[in-house]
Amino acid sequence: MDIVSENRSFGGRQQVFRHPSNTCGCEMTFGAYLPPQAEDRPVPVLWYLSGLTCTHENAMTKGGLQEHAARHGLAVIFPDTSPRGEGVADDDAYDLGQGAGFYVNATRDPWKPHFRMYDYILSELRALVLDHLPVTDRHGITGHSMGGHGAMTLALRNADLFDSLSAFAPIANPTQSDWGRKQLSAYLGDDETAWHAHDSTILLEEHGWKDELLIDQGASDQFLDLLRPEALAATMARRRQPGILRLQPGYDHSYFFVNSFAGDHVAWHAARLT
């Protein structure tokens, strides 16, 4: 890994790394916040997956997680949302291609050679973080919008690898939403049964989650109809899944929303990781 930048933040270090990715077949960049406690001992890890159009940098600079992570002694990893660079397929639309990896392993061309964000996060980047950073093998995961979808699907399918789970305004039912059907058909093909492994509402119905969930959703979110939190809430009630889904009055889909509740989510994960 090559270090791109390092800044002091709340007594810890906000770093950015670049590395060649065998999984995605290109260079990938990610951010890593190491709290002051990491100077003395390995610390647990909170993964934060970002949404459509974002890079590793958006949540790193706008999410406000560092102050809370420093207080609770958590490292925070900010992966990119897709492969990038020359030779990586792209689309003119903001919601497909670079910046819109949807945390799946694409099986269709032209996406198949590079768009393998599911394996990248779950295996390659996880191994890099464990090998090179002062962290323990205890992991929580959260994310916003497309990243909330990614966090929930990765954790629900791999409960042995994650100890805590939350989300900010996740795309909760992508198989029934225009934010999902377009991308899943492009990346995975027209067989909708193949999409089910990337729909957190379906996965929660099938597998449940081993602990409580925390979901925050802005009640004034301009994309509420695309996110479909009501589908996830109905499944939580039907399955009697322990957890909290909060509709926050007046909040939209922006990083102001994420920043407002970042402290709650970091504390939620810290209680389960430390």
Side-chain angles (χ1 to χ4, degrees), residues 92-111:
D92 291 337
Y94 76 94
D95 57 355
L96 191 67
Q98 295 186 36
F102 251 74
Y103 304 101
V104 303
N105 292 334
T107 58
R108 294 187 71 189
D109 289 327
W111 316 106

Side-chain angles (χ1 to χ4, degrees), residues 15-143:
Q15 300 174 317
V16 175
F17 295 97
R18 183 183 296 119
H19 70 97
S21 168
N22 292 325
T23 303
C24 295
C26 63
E27 278 202 333
M28 297 294 288
T29 304
F30 71 96
Y33 177 70
L34 298 175
Q37 295 88 338
E39 304 277 345
D40 302 318
R41 64 181 187 277
V43 296
V45 186
L46 176 58
W47 295 79
Y48 182 99
L49 306 188
S50 290
L52 287 167
T53 75
C54 291
T55 69
H56 69 282
E57 188 174 16
N58 297 73
M60 189 180 82
T61 58
K62 299 178 184 178
L65 280 82
Q66 289 89 342
E67 179 179 6
H68 310 294
R71 183 180 306 119
H72 292 285
L74 296 184
V76 186
I77 304 299
F78 302 93
D80 202 347
T81 56
S82 77
R84 300 178 191 273
E86 187 177 349
V88 177
D90 200 9
D91 191 273
D92 291 337
Y94 76 94
D95 57 355
L96 191 67
Q98 295 186 36
F102 251 74
Y103 304 101
V104 303
N105 292 334
T107 58
R108 294 187 71 189
D109 289 327
W111 316 106
K112 183 168 63 173
H114 301 285
F115 281 71
R116 303 187 58 80
M117 292 301 294
Y118 181 90
D119 280 354
Y120 171 70
I121 301 291
L122 193 67
S123 299
E124 185 176 31
L125 185 55
R126 182 187 178 101
L128 268 178
V129 166
L130 287 172
D131 287 347
H132 295 283
L133 298 179
V135 298
T136 69
D137 197 9
R138 287 188 61 77
H139 303 260
I141 190 166
T142 188

